[in-house]
Amino acid sequence: MMETAEFFLEATRISPKYFEAYHNLGQVLQDMQRYQEAITYFKIEAKIRPDISAPLLAVASCYNHLNEREKAAKFAVKATKLDPTNTAAWNGAGWFLHLAGRSRDSERVLKKGIRLHPNNAHMYLHRGKALSDLHDWDAAASMLLKSIKLENNNPESKLLLGMVYFSSADSGIKNETSAVWKLCKRYLQEALNDGLTGNNALIAMNHIAHASWQLGEHQHALGVVAAGLRMNPNFCDLHVRRLQLQMIVCNFTNIEEGRREILRLVSEQVKQGRPPTVNPFTLLMLNIGTPLDRLFFYRKFTLDKQLAATRMVESTLGSRLRRNGERIRDLETFAIRKLKIGFLSADFRSHPMGYIMSDFFKAARSEMTWLQDFQVFAISLTQDVDHVAREVEQTVDVFLRVGHLDDERAAIEIQQLRLDLVIELGGHTRGSRFRLLALDLAPVVMHFQGFADTMGSDSVRYMLADKVVAPPELRSLYSEHLVYLSPSYHFYAPELNCFSDWNADAPRRSSEREFPLFDSQVSPDRIEEHMWLAWTRILRTSQGSIRLRQGQNSHEEHELLEANLKAAAARAGLSASSLVFVRQIPSKEAHLHRLASADLFLDTDSYSAHSTALDALWAGLPVLTFPRESFSSRPPSSFLLALGVGELVARGLGEYEAMAKSLANSTGVMQRWREKVWARRMQSTFFDSRKKLRQMRAAFRMTWEIGEDMHIVVSENI
């Protein structure tokens, strides 16, 4: 190949105006991956014949290989202007703009190209990709359906269409009807049938498994995952999907091996310079690695999103986004105006976080200092309009929905509010859009409550916590500066969660029940094997029973969950009647009454009960827990210490088990603890929502006024 290059180079010396020699030389150098040299000769060719688009497209291709997407897009766009009949130019321009993170420009260019070439399937495909990036799922699906109609055997179009339906259903922007999941599964399967190969085939299988699970086909989902892993045992996302499917039905077989394999594969991705393909929330829920491992992975994951946001800001359209470094902190003006605070979440809906924040906004409206100091904005990342969303909308000053907008337009809409602080409520949980946080929505961004861990990002400066969930000695596990509330970080409005007899005497165990009833209504995927074995030993010693949450997604899932746990109970010498499966109750009062009917709440460890533990304590039910290092395991410890019943915080699994057995075997001791919790919830300041609001008001004011990156402690005596 080198000889060929020298031959064409000699031809350019003999005839400096011979454009074909420059073109052929450029192509040979491009094949040799000497892209910078190839660009030089393609540019010379372009000067010799400025009326031809081919050399411009060749330059664009070389820049793309060099990962200089903006330059690639620039030359491809020039080619479309020079020769509008060249479909390769339009496709190249659209694709390179997409790769440069300029999806809106990509969509506009391809729209023009389609008007000129309405029968080009690839233009519809590339425009569908751009619209998908812009979260315009309906328009993206329409483009991809047209691409499939023109070229029915193109598996790439069907793969992308299946992914669009997946994103539409999974984002929470639309109702997650079974019809959408069926469409997702159908087109992904068709893509496989049409010959999809390599990683794309594995991606399709992973998402087919998820769609099948959503449709209640748990066993089919496992079968698809197994088939994919036979094709490639090192495909990380399929290992993640398998572990999720196992944990949600408490199938403890080879769980630890699965975790180690995921840790190995994610570590390899990072070593190769790639961001982890596994979302931080998934890493946390599956308990992959140590807290320090996860912080490292979170940083790599968020850095990729931050770089994408930077590219957006630096693009032509991105110049419309305001940089907060250019904004002046008008502290003098703040003294005579309300501070604008925006709460950002995908969960202003029927979701635990939605209920908590609905109560928060209602309570804040009755607190005079809040009304005097703050203008409250709720920014929803979905289009949900259920009763919780309506309640939130009625209790804040401004309610803004941006779920239908892409990141750039959403950022512009939010920036127009001129917020002083953004309180981020979702972290890396489902529906959240991390890249938005890197687009300078406000001078101060604070993380609170929704994601029980560090964000791992420089875009979020502060995190609301307390000294139990995030001890000062473990600050190195957090990327944020910690704002400590006291005695606990969590908000709860008991006055909005009253139930009959809530201020009467503590309830007693029913005379009809001889043996203790434990409660652990946590999501089944939080139950670890070591915890389950401890529970079976506690049940065997006490002859008691435990109340567990049913499988939530389908009847098939619940049957698997029940069968797995009953089999594990039988191996431990327990009868099936010792396990009591219950459905979630829509009524909060009925939920609290059911919790109050138990004797002791047994908490999980790696990812503990949070809002459920709060409900249990407010219902007067003692909670037994033990903390590990991670934030996600520590909230119940914080609640118990704040309530003045820290004796229920064990120092390890062994002590936890011993304490549970001791309590279960003494009805009198159990009742005394019940009475103590019942009394302390009224006597302590833990359930004082007005005091918590005053603390949070102080925290928000301090982070704004100080304007420096430092840890902050808010006094309990506010």
Side-chain angles (χ1 to χ4, degrees):
M1 194 173 286
M2 193 63 202
E3 291 179 2
T4 306
E6 290 174 358
F7 175 81
F8 287 124
L9 182 61
E10 182 63 24
T12 64
R13 294 188 186 121
I14 295 170
S15 180
K17 297 293 183 181
Y18 185 38
F19 61 82
E20 285 190 13
Y22 291 103
H23 186 83
N24 292 336
L25 177 57
Q27 283 191 320
V28 172
L29 291 169
Q30 188 175 3
D31 291 341
M32 296 171 66
Q33 299 183 7
R34 292 164 61 176
Y35 300 116
Q36 203 64 56
E37 294 173 70
I39 287 169
T40 301
Y41 292 107
F42 285 134
K43 285 183 176 180
I44 294 172
E45 180 195 4
K47 287 181 181 179
I48 296 172
R49 51 175 192 172
D51 57 331
I52 302 298
S53 62
L56 297 177
L57 276 177
V59 171
S61 176
C62 289
Y63 275 127
N64 182 50
H65 283 295
L66 292 170
N67 291 322
E68 296 185 47
R69 314 297 193 194
E70 285 287 349
K71 290 182 179 179
K74 175 184 173 182
F75 279 90
V77 169
K78 281 184 180 180
T80 64
K81 295 176 180 177
L82 191 61
D83 184 5
T85 66
N86 189 335
T87 57
W90 290 104
N91 274 310
W95 181 240
F96 297 145
L97 285 165
H98 163 78
L99 293 177
R102 294 169 58 185
S103 297
R104 190 159 301 284
D105 285 345
S106 171
E107 192 274 330
R108 287 171 179 164
V109 165
L110 290 163
K111 185 177 180 180
K112 291 179 183 177
I114 287 171
R115 279 202 299 265
L116 295 170
H117 307 281
N119 295 318
N120 188 280
H122 281 81
M123 283 195 208
Y124 288 106
L125 169 62
H126 291 150
R127 191 178 175 204
K129 286 181 178 177
L131 288 163
S132 175
D133 285 348
L134 298 173
H135 294 196
D136 193 343
W137 313 120
D138 289 340
S142 175
M143 289 297 106
L144 293 165
L145 286 167
K146 288 178 180 177
S147 175
I148 291 168
K149 186 175 180 180
L150 290 167
E151 192 176 320
N152 186 50
N153 60 348
N154 184 353
E156 188 180 358
S157 296
K158 293 178 180 178
L159 170 65
L160 185 57
L161 181 57
M163 297 297 286
V164 164
Y165 284 128
F166 181 95
S167 299
S168 175
D170 199 51
S171 66
I173 291 174
K174 286 190 167 187
N175 291 327
E176 297 173 37
T177 62
S178 61
V180 181
W181 288 115
K182 286 176 182 176
L183 286 169
C184 166
K185 183 180 173 184
R186 169 192 164 186
Y187 283 103
L188 291 173
Q189 189 60 58
E190 285 188 16
L192 289 173
N193 296 342
D194 287 346
L196 199 66
T197 59
N199 273 2
N200 281 343
L202 297 171
I203 290 169
M205 296 176 81
N206 182 41
H207 287 83
I208 287 172
H210 185 85
S212 298
W213 173 66
Q214 289 286 353
L215 292 167
E217 303 165 1
H218 195 97
Q219 295 285 43
H220 180 260
L222 280 169
V224 172
V225 169
L229 288 173
R230 285 195 293 272
M231 291 170 58
N232 184 349
N234 292 315
F235 194 72
C236 184
D237 289 3
L238 285 171
H239 283 282
V240 169
R241 187 73 65 202
R242 180 170 66 182
L243 194 59
Q244 288 174 322
L245 291 167
Q246 280 187 250
M247 290 177 67
I248 201 67
V249 294
C250 292
N251 177 356
F252 302 127
T253 307
N254 298 325
I255 289 287
E256 289 305 319
E257 289 84 345
R259 286 193 176 115
R260 286 194 291 271
E261 183 65 7
I262 292 168
L263 178 62
R264 180 185 72 81
L265 293 169
V266 173
S267 300
E268 284 185 4
Q269 290 173 351
V270 173
K271 285 178 184 176
Q272 293 167 6
R274 296 183 290 143
T277 58
V278 188
N279 177 281
F281 183 58
T282 304
L283 290 170
L284 178 64
M285 288 299 296
L286 298 183
N287 195 23
I288 304 300
T290 66
L292 196 59
D293 290 331
R294 290 196 290 272
L295 173 61
F296 178 68
F297 296 145
Y298 296 172
R299 282 197 172 280
K300 294 298 182 182
F301 183 90
T302 58
L303 179 61
D304 183 63
K305 306 291 184 184
Q306 288 172 275
L307 291 173
T310 301
R311 288 196 297 270
M312 180 185 293
V313 171
E314 291 172 349
S315 71
T316 304
L317 279 174
S319 63
R320 294 169 59 194
L321 291 165
R322 184 172 58 251
R323 303 298 294 185
N324 279 316
E326 301 166 3
R327 295 168 66 182
I328 298 171
R329 297 173 57 82
D330 49 345
L331 294 177
E332 293 182 4
T333 307
F334 170 56
I336 58 173
R337 72 167 175 86
K338 292 184 178 182
L339 199 65
K340 292 183 175 181
I341 301 184
F343 292 84
L344 183 72
S345 178
D347 296 321
F348 293 133
R349 55 189 174 89
S350 297
H351 181 277
M353 196 66 197
Y355 292 117
I356 290 169
M357 293 312 298
S358 177
D359 287 352
F360 175 87
F361 293 133
K362 289 174 187 174
R365 282 183 71 86
S366 64
E367 181 64 31
M368 186 55 66
T369 53
W370 268 78
L371 296 175
Q372 292 172 344
D373 281 5
F374 301 129
Q375 186 178 5
V376 178
F377 299 75
I379 304 160
S380 175
L381 298 178
T382 73
Q383 295 301 96
D384 287 307
V385 289
D386 67 8
H387 71 282
V388 176
R390 288 192 293 272
E391 286 178 2
V392 171
E393 189 167 6
Q394 291 166 5
T395 52
V396 297
D397 296 303
V398 177
F399 189 85
L400 176 66
R401 290 184 174 89
V402 297
H404 62 295
L405 302 176
D406 62 277
D407 290 337
E408 180 191 320
R409 284 192 171 182
I412 291 169
E413 288 280 322
I414 295 169
Q415 285 192 349
Q416 287 174 352
L417 301 176
R418 303 292 295 181
L419 299 174
D420 299 301
L421 285 88
V422 164
I423 312 301
E424 195 286 319
L425 299 171
H428 296 290
T429 59
R430 179 183 167 208
S432 299
R433 289 160 60 178
F434 175 80
R435 193 165 66 166
L436 267 179
L437 300 177
L439 292 175
D440 290 325
L441 302 182
V444 177
V445 178
M446 181 183 291
H447 168 44
F448 175 52
Q449 200 153 302
F451 176 63
D453 208 350
T454 178
M455 291 287 288
S457 166
D458 295 333
S459 298
V460 182
R461 289 171 59 187
Y462 293 104
M463 177 178 181
L464 277 180
D466 63 53
K467 290 186 177 181
V468 177
V469 291
E473 63 270 21
L474 296 180
R475 282 178 183 167
S476 60
L477 298 178
Y478 298 86
S479 61
E480 303 88 350
H481 292 275
L482 300 174
V483 179
Y484 287 126
L485 302 183
S486 181
S488 179
Y489 78 105
H490 210 294
F491 179 83
Y492 193 84
E495 65 274 15
L496 298 174
N497 291 284
C498 292
F499 54 99
S500 60
D501 302 325
W502 66 274
N503 59 350
D505 293 334
R508 305 184 70 84
R509 181 192 293 179
S510 169
S511 58
E512 298 176 1
R513 194 172 72 241
E514 181 181 359
F515 300 109
L517 172 63
F518 300 99
D519 196 295
S520 190
Q521 293 180 61
V522 296
S523 179
D525 56 352
R526 298 187 189 185
I527 302 173
E528 304 263 11
E529 184 177 19
H530 62 268
M531 186 60 73
W532 176 253
L533 292 174
W535 288 356
T536 58
R537 291 191 292 270
I538 293 166
L539 293 173
R540 191 167 58 241
T541 300
S542 65
Q543 301 180 56
S545 56
I546 187 167
R547 194 157 50 198
L548 302 164
R549 186 186 294 182
Q550 281 190 357
Q552 300 299 302
N553 197 56
S554 67
H555 181 67
E556 179 187 338
E557 181 180 299
H558 173 66
E559 284 187 334
L560 287 168
L561 171 67
E562 189 169 340
N564 287 333
L565 290 183
K566 284 185 174 179
R571 289 194 294 272
L574 298 173
S575 67
S577 61
S578 62
L579 308 183
V580 182
F581 293 93
V582 295
R583 292 184 180 276
Q584 284 184 289
I585 306 175
S587 164
K588 187 62 174 284
E589 182 174 1
H591 169 62
L592 292 170
H593 272 296
R594 185 163 71 185
L595 284 168
S597 68
D599 296 300
L600 182 66
F601 188 97
L602 295 177
D603 193 21
T604 48
D605 60 338
S606 298
Y607 200 113
S608 61
H610 298 178
S611 57
T612 305
L614 272 175
D615 285 338
L617 291 170
W618 177 238
L621 176 63
V623 174
L624 182 62
T625 189
F626 74 94
R628 295 191 181 275
E629 276 192 331
S630 65
F631 188 117
S632 61
S633 79
R634 303 177 76 89
S637 301
S638 167
F639 307 156
L640 291 165
L641 288 163
L643 199 59
V645 288
E647 300 93 327
L648 292 171
V649 179
R651 288 169 294 185
L653 182 59
E655 185 173 270
Y656 170 96
E657 184 178 335
M659 288 171 65
K661 289 176 179 177
S662 175
L663 289 168
N665 290 327
S666 175
T667 306
V669 173
M670 186 88 82
Q671 182 61 27
R672 284 195 292 274
W673 271 110
R674 187 181 194 81
E675 291 170 354
K676 185 174 183 179
V677 170
W678 187 264
R680 290 299 300 163
R681 71 198 180 105
M682 303 299 292
Q683 297 165 357
S684 76
T685 60
F686 175 59
F687 281 117
D688 186 343
S689 62
R690 296 188 68 183
K691 185 179 182 68
K692 184 63 65 183
L693 282 169
R694 291 195 296 272
Q695 280 195 316
M696 294 178 72
R697 168 181 169 270
F700 296 156
R701 287 179 61 110
M702 290 168 72
T703 53
W704 168 256
E705 291 173 1
I706 292 171
E708 301 291 337
D709 291 335
M710 61 176 67
H711 300 292
I712 296 172
V713 178
V714 180
S715 171
E716 185 177 358
N717 301 314
I718 289 180

